[in-house]
Amino acid sequence: MTAPGAPSLSAYAPWSAPGIADAAWWVALAASTGLDRLWFGQQSSVSVLGGVGYAAGRGHRVPVGSAVTLVPTTTPYAAALELRALADLVGERPGTPPVSAYFSPGYPEIHRALTGTPWASPLTTTREFVAALRGLLAGGRVDVRGERITTVFDSPAPDVSDRVDIGLGVLRPAMARLAGEIADGVVTWLATPDYLAEVLVPALDDGAASAGRRRPRVVTTLHAGLDVTAAEAPDVVRRAIGPHLSAPHYRDMLRRDGLELTGTLDDRDIARVLDHGLVTVGDADRIAARAGELAETGADEVSVVLHLPDGATRADIADAWRRIATAARTRTTERRSAA
């Protein structure tokens, strides 16, 4: 955190990149605006590695993160190979790891679709996956024989574990406690400042204390609509997080945060979502201020998921990000002066 209430600020590419050049464009944007990191979500068309490599070849380097990669879509061995390559390609910023790789077990439907059966214990599988991946990144002998994940391998590769953060996506206390035990960092999705401070951070602390380690780094995503009017806000909410608001595990999380939804995304649901602050709409100063609120309740890094109107060009996206980065830097300077 750069100053009290001023977190590290990063960008989250809001969709799966359709091609290598598209992913590389986001890397170049993050590098040119001085953001601390660029995050990619689960990709369905191209590998993050391809886009980062293409951007690096053109002289654009910035720390990168993946949040979240669903565990059923990869293996510890495949993930380790990609993360080793990324660690060689990305840029660096003082005080932050070059690569952050955050994972989630996903949900029963994707377990069946990609592995054939639902998982008896997603938490146990996640623990096994992280143990195997850590071993492979460290090099040497890896011997993990779990209920679902098995990796037995003598790796000749050097230790790159100091260049890669392994983290977990957390929605609810059980995964947060596990992350406190085994992860370097966590990423939240749709977490309000109150939910972060009152539910997730205490669970992280409990898990970390039980393992005798420090609390993992906390990355919180902030959904935002720049210059969105009150009349436009409902459409932005539906496009930005509509699928999440209908998913049972997200609705359970939101219920724990005091937000009861019907799941139909009717006008009442959307009004409750906006009142609850799940999407921040307004000017760049308002978005920077919301990032500060999240920092004050436990976020070490805020990754902004910026939602612009349909038809927004790359020039529009770049201009929006420059405005947000400028507002965040101004806020940081003001807080440093007041500290």
Side-chain angles (χ1 to χ4, degrees):
M1 200 177 301
T2 55
S8 173
L9 187 72
S10 55
Y12 190 103
W15 56 78
S16 178
I20 293 295
D22 301 279
W25 181 85
W26 277 98
V27 175
L29 173 65
S32 68
T33 50
L35 295 167
D36 293 316
R37 185 176 304 278
L38 172 66
W39 291 89
F40 290 96
Q42 175 71 54
Q43 299 296 294
S44 57
S45 299
V46 298
S47 165
V48 170
L49 175 60
V52 171
Y54 182 30
R58 297 174 66 87
H60 305 295
R61 295 174 182 264
V62 67
V64 299
S66 56
V68 288
T69 298
L70 299 179
V71 171
T73 68
T74 187
T75 67
Y77 188 89
L81 286 179
E82 181 153 327
L83 294 173
R84 284 180 174 279
L86 283 172
D88 280 343
L89 289 169
V90 301
E92 300 194 30
R93 296 281 189 276
T96 188
V99 177
S100 292
Y102 289 15
F103 297 88
S104 168
Y107 40 91
E109 291 79 10
I110 199 164
H111 300 162
R112 284 191 290 267
L114 297 182
T115 69
T117 59
W119 293 356
S121 175
L123 291 175
T124 297
T125 301
T126 301
R127 184 187 295 274
E128 295 167 357
F129 182 92
V130 169
L133 181 57
R134 276 201 190 284
L136 291 165
L137 291 173
R141 178 68 174 173
V142 182
D143 193 336
V144 174
R145 304 168 194 254
E147 294 178 12
R148 182 164 286 275
I149 303 292
T150 294
T151 304
V152 181
F153 186 68
D154 288 303
S155 173
D159 185 354
V160 296
S161 54
D162 63 334
R163 293 182 58 78
V164 180
D165 254 5
I166 300 175
L168 298 177
V170 299
L171 296 182
R172 293 173 285 190
M175 185 62 78
R177 280 190 290 271
L178 176 63
E181 291 181 44
I182 68 171
D184 301 318
V186 301
V187 63
T188 72
W189 195 262
L190 304 185
T192 62
D194 286 346
Y195 189 72
L196 186 64
E198 297 170 10
V199 178
L200 294 182
V201 168
L204 285 169
D205 286 339
D206 287 347
S210 71
R213 62 199 299 267
R214 295 175 58 185
R215 179 206 302 168
R217 190 168 68 100
V218 177
V219 181
T220 296
T221 50
L222 167 59
H223 291 270
L226 182 62
D227 296 337
V228 169
T229 67
E232 296 167 332
D235 182 57
V236 170
V237 170
R238 290 187 175 94
R239 287 191 292 107
I241 59 174
H244 300 92
L245 298 176
S246 301
H249 52 307
Y250 279 98
R251 289 176 60 194
D252 178 64
M253 168 199 160
L254 295 173
R255 192 176 300 114
R256 295 166 188 253
D257 192 24
L259 179 59
E260 191 75 41
L261 299 175
T262 66
T264 61
L265 301 187
D266 61 16
D267 290 344
R268 289 174 299 175
D269 271 1
I270 298 303
R272 293 187 188 108
V273 166
L274 287 167
D275 288 344
H276 213 67
L278 298 188
V279 177
T280 297
V281 297
D283 61 15
D285 289 336
R286 174 69 190 105
I287 294 170
R290 184 63 168 178
E293 292 169 12
L294 288 163
E296 289 164 0
T297 54
D300 301 297
E301 177 180 335
V302 175
S303 185
V304 178
V305 193
L306 187 59
H307 302 281
L308 294 177
D310 288 338
T313 66
R314 285 184 174 180
D316 296 330
I317 296 170
D319 177 68
W321 264 111
R322 291 188 185 99
R323 291 168 57 196
I324 291 172
T326 298
R329 281 193 288 268
T330 299
R331 181 181 176 85
T332 297
T333 300
E334 290 171 349
R335 287 189 168 269
R336 280 176 173 162
S337 299

